[in-house]
Amino acid sequence: MKFVCDRDVLNSAVSTVSRAVSSRSSLAVLEGVYIRAEENGRVTIIGNDLEIGIESVIEADVKEGGEIVIDAKLFGKILASPNDSTISIETNEKYLTLIKSGKAKIEIPGIAPDEFPDLPQVSEDYSVTLPGGVLKNMIEMTSFAAAKTDNDPTRMGALLKIMPDGLSMVALDGYRIAQRNVSLEGNFEPKEMIIPEKSLTELARIIGDSDEDIKIIAAPGHAIFLLETCKLVTRLIEGSYTNFERIIPTSFELELECPTHQIADSVKRASLIILNDVVKGPIRFNITDGNINVSCTTSAGSVDDNLSVDTPPDVALEIGFYNRYLQDVFNVLRDDNIMMKFNKSINPLIITPVEGNDYMYMILPIRLRNAG
Amino acid sequence: MKFVCDRDVLNSAVSTVSRAVSSRSSLAVLEGVYIRAEENGRVTIIGNDLEIGIESVIEADVKEGGEIVIDAKLFGKILASPNDSTISIETNEKYLTLIKSGKAKIEIPGIAPDEFPDLPQVSEDYSVTLPGGVLKNMIEMTSFAAAKTDNDPTRMGALLKIMPDGLSMVALDGYRIAQRNVSLEGNFEPKEMIIPEKSLTELARIIGDSDEDIKIIAAPGHAIFLLETCKLVTRLIEGSYTNFERIIPTSFELELECPTHQIADSVKRASLIILNDVVKGPIRFNITDGNINVSCTTSAGSVDDNLSVDTPPDVALEIGFYNRYLQDVFNVLRDDNIMMKFNKSINPLIITPVEGNDYMYMILPIRLRNAG
């Protein structure tokens, strides 16, 4: 194999596919990026840890076709170090790889490409296309609520529901639910898939600030996200997703419109004395006429803060939450104001936009010892 | 104690003195910042881990004088969190401390100030004043060469030598020496002090981009660096500093003027296959007519790079170095070109500016197995 190409283009492709490379695997080949040069001038670069695979194709001056696997970390460091704008990659029959750029020659051992796992081939029978920015936003508004570990593996992913007139993404653990709904013109064939949270997070990173269209191709066991210059293939999580809709309250005793930044800052301040995961709080909301008192008392001290809101007369509700579950949602909310919807102090809090049903976040409260 | 002041001013003072606070001490009082409010409107804030002490004085509206010690990390977090531009600090006789800003009240336990170690009082009998930028540059060009650990504690500091017409700073471990000389107008009384590397690094951070004058006050066992808004007191290291001058060669068989960036990039590239501290290189310089060949071979691969330089005819020298010792100095050199001065492959390399003797860096070579 031998090809010459632009160093920045190769560097960018290798760093993108490296997101899917295992950093520590029992198989050396899985710690590498696979490179295949074809004599038509296409060089395909793949990283694959068997859960996610990312493939990127670049153009190159291919002198001789072939394939190789190169250690991803070392290759990434070599490509990132300053040198000439073009680079030449050349392998011999023993997979020894010679990398030349400017006056520098670097020779490193490659790995036989035979054992590198192929990306699943998926037919395009089923596909949906939407703007990358919309998909990224759906991921950011929900995926943080997926469980990090859980006996039920479906909770470590997010449910992507394709409906005739739009998409919905939901993530949940045992204590909270985040749901983002998007209307799209089209007439999509309904489909549901549970996508690992890690794959979604990598997808959001790859999308970055681009708003190019993304085609979602669904197949048994896998989904493919097709971008302009690369594709991400992810394993789907099998199982039946928690029937969450019946848990979400639909009527509320108290609905408050709150300035997002003010309540977020109050919760952040009250969290100052929550020193680590052992001293967990809770954060108390004590809602009375025209005021939310946000407080927290731990062994490290106490915080007491107040926020003016419009309330109905004679309101009186004290309710407690684990601070991270509040801070996580305030980190992603972009609206100036939000609705907080309560029933009793033992019932979940629902956070939504002031109008519409584009977004819904539900948190279970912590039972307070001395609640009013 | 009770005072009201600007939150940003207090935050900045506390974060500066916190550099001298132990992050883990057996004495809780050493993990705190000491605060003393005086009724003339001065609030003095001190961090002191017994090796370094930093004191900062701010102006405040002092309602009641007094003193307290507050956990540095928690206080720093509270001051850094967004809130009103003024802040009020109030303690009671049990050292409970109430921090008020905007609508938020935070109450945390303070620590009795009695056991907080006083900063050493030093008379100003001896002092030298120089621009902060000059002192910072002396620290940056030398302190990296101080030993991290050594049986000889003087090597974990840098020697500051005050001479009638200037200053010199030297740091060394067993393998290299860095020396920076500065001429200053004045007629200083000669003095030598060995300052812990950690104190110098903190001093350089405090100086930052400011070029205000710094007064160095020397006293038995301690030195004080007086800046406009704060002072740093450091313990000095006792002992006699290595007599390094006799080790430095004064005549050379080969002197090469090299473009700094090019040789730095070559060494960086050759270091790519030095994967960790176990696989140490060496980096080889093979100097022949008009060329420096920079190479390195490890179990991870080999790198071969070339650099054009003006050499005398018939030159032939192969010499090896530990890559970090070269990279450390290239990180701080700012000149476009430098002089590299060699004798044989078993003799040290000296790096200096092209002209003058403001700076000198010496590294011992690694003996090569198959040197030419």
Side-chain angles (χ1 to χ4, degrees), chain A residues 74 77-78 81-83 103-109 265 269 272-275 300-306 308, chain B residues 74 77-78 81-83 103-109 265 269 272-275 300-306 308:
Chain A
L74 181 53
K77 272 170 63 185
I78 291 171
S81 83
N83 215 323
K103 284 184 175 178
K105 283 182 247 176
I106 304 185
E107 196 167 54
I108 57 176
D265 281 353
R269 265 195 291 280
L272 285 171
I273 52 153
I274 299 176
L275 295 187
S302 67
V303 180
D304 183 288
D305 200 3
N306 293 287
S308 299
Chain B
L74 181 54
K77 272 169 63 184
I78 291 170
S81 85
N83 216 324
K103 284 183 172 178
K105 285 182 243 175
I106 304 184
E107 195 167 56
I108 57 176
D265 282 351
R269 264 196 291 279
L272 285 170
I273 51 154
I274 300 175
L275 296 186
S302 67
V303 180
D304 184 290
D305 200 3
N306 291 286
S308 300

Side-chain angles (χ1 to χ4, degrees), chain B residues 76-350:
Chain B
K77 272 169 63 184
I78 291 170
L79 293 173
S81 85
N83 216 324
D84 199 60
S85 65
T86 62
I87 193 164
S88 138
I89 313 282
E90 188 176 351
T91 59
N92 71 11
E93 67 285 355
K94 286 178 179 161
Y95 303 116
L96 212 56
T97 304
L98 179 65
I99 302 161
K100 287 193 285 189
S101 186
K103 284 183 172 178
K105 285 182 243 175
I106 304 184
E107 195 167 56
I108 57 176
I111 305 164
D114 325 17
E115 285 175 32
F116 194 84
D118 282 336
L119 289 186
Q121 297 301 316
V122 175
S123 75
E124 290 205 21
D125 292 350
Y126 180 96
S127 76
V128 167
T129 298
L130 77 166
V134 171
L135 184 57
K136 187 186 178 196
N137 176 269
M138 293 178 81
I139 295 169
E140 286 179 341
M141 299 286 285
T142 56
S143 63
F144 64 87
K148 299 291 165 264
T149 54
D150 203 298
N151 289 332
D152 176 355
T154 65
R155 292 185 174 184
M156 294 168 67
L159 177 72
L160 178 63
K161 213 166 157 175
I162 298 166
M163 297 159 293
D165 56 351
L167 277 73
S168 158
M169 190 175 279
V170 180
L172 54 82
D173 55 20
Y175 309 96
R176 53 183 173 167
I177 304 171
Q179 179 172 32
R180 177 89 170 90
N181 304 311
V182 166
S183 303
L184 280 181
E185 300 237 341
N187 189 7
F188 305 129
E189 184 190 332
K191 189 153 204 101
E192 293 192 0
M193 42 185 125
I194 306 170
I195 305 166
E197 181 273 331
K198 193 188 147 198
S199 303
L200 289 173
T201 303
E202 292 304 347
L203 177 61
R205 282 202 190 125
I206 291 173
I207 296 171
D209 291 331
S210 148
D211 201 26
E212 56 169 293
D213 275 354
I214 293 184
K215 188 190 254 187
I216 307 175
I217 303 170
H222 286 89
I224 297 190
F225 297 88
L226 263 189
L227 288 85
E228 207 168 286
T229 59
C230 76
K231 71 177 178 195
L232 180 143
V233 180
T234 176
R235 173 180 77 76
L236 296 177
I237 300 175
E238 289 175 20
S240 54
Y241 201 69
T242 306
N243 181 4
F244 62 92
E245 267 145 345
R246 64 182 172 81
I247 309 169
I248 302 169
T250 49
S251 68
F252 303 95
E253 292 185 6
L254 175 62
E255 304 196 12
L256 295 181
E257 183 172 338
C258 292
T260 316
H261 280 296
Q262 284 186 35
I263 184 88
D265 282 351
S266 285
V267 168
K268 197 181 273 175
R269 264 196 291 279
S271 305
L272 285 170
I273 51 154
I274 300 175
L275 296 186
N276 50 45
D277 281 346
V278 182
V279 184
K280 279 195 179 179
I283 303 278
R284 278 166 199 259
F285 289 171
N286 198 337
I287 305 167
T288 50
D289 277 358
N291 191 64
I292 304 181
N293 176 260
V294 179
S295 72
C296 183
T297 299
T298 72
S299 54
S302 67
V303 180
D304 184 290
D305 200 3
N306 291 286
L307 190 78
S308 300
V309 283
D310 267 337
T311 63
D314 302 323
V315 61
L317 174 69
E318 187 166 18
I319 188 167
F321 299 99
Y322 174 40
N323 69 311
R324 287 262 21 119
Y325 292 166
L326 290 167
Q327 288 184 290
D328 281 347
V329 73
F330 292 137
N331 281 340
V332 299
L333 289 170
R334 292 288 168 267
D335 297 349
D336 289 342
N337 291 285
I338 48 160
M339 292 302 289
M340 301 213 295
K341 302 176 182 175
F342 302 89
N343 283 303
K344 305 226 176 312
S345 65
I346 52 164
N347 299 120
L349 160 65
I350 302 279

Side-chain angles (χ1 to χ4, degrees), chain A residues 84-253:
Chain A
D84 198 59
S85 65
T86 62
I87 193 164
S88 138
I89 313 284
E90 187 176 350
T91 61
N92 69 11
E93 67 286 354
K94 286 179 178 162
Y95 304 115
L96 212 56
T97 303
L98 179 64
I99 302 163
K100 287 193 285 187
S101 188
K103 284 184 175 178
K105 283 182 247 176
I106 304 185
E107 196 167 54
I108 57 176
I111 304 164
D114 326 15
E115 284 175 36
F116 194 84
D118 282 335
L119 290 186
Q121 294 304 313
V122 176
S123 76
E124 290 206 20
D125 291 350
Y126 181 97
S127 76
V128 167
T129 299
L130 76 165
V134 171
L135 184 58
K136 186 186 178 194
N137 175 269
M138 293 179 79
I139 295 170
E140 286 179 342
M141 299 287 285
T142 57
S143 63
F144 66 86
K148 299 288 163 267
T149 54
D150 202 295
N151 289 332
D152 176 354
T154 67
R155 293 185 174 183
M156 294 167 67
L159 178 71
L160 177 64
K161 215 167 156 174
I162 299 166
M163 297 161 291
D165 56 349
L167 277 72
S168 159
M169 191 176 276
V170 181
L172 54 81
D173 56 20
Y175 309 95
R176 54 183 172 164
I177 303 172
Q179 179 171 32
R180 176 89 171 88
N181 304 312
V182 167
S183 302
L184 280 182
E185 300 236 341
N187 189 9
F188 305 129
E189 185 188 333
K191 190 155 205 101
E192 294 192 358
M193 41 185 129
I194 306 170
I195 305 167
E197 181 273 331
K198 193 189 148 200
S199 302
L200 290 172
T201 303
E202 292 303 348
L203 178 60
R205 280 200 193 129
I206 291 174
I207 295 171
D209 292 331
S210 149
D211 202 23
E212 56 170 293
D213 275 354
I214 293 183
K215 187 189 260 188
I216 308 177
I217 303 170
H222 287 90
I224 298 191
F225 297 89
L226 264 189
L227 289 85
E228 207 169 285
T229 58
C230 76
K231 70 177 180 195
L232 180 144
V233 181
T234 176
R235 176 179 75 76
L236 296 177
I237 300 175
E238 289 175 23
S240 54
Y241 202 70
T242 307
N243 182 2
F244 62 91
E245 266 145 347
R246 65 183 173 77
I247 310 168
I248 303 169
T250 49
S251 68
F252 303 96
E253 293 186 6

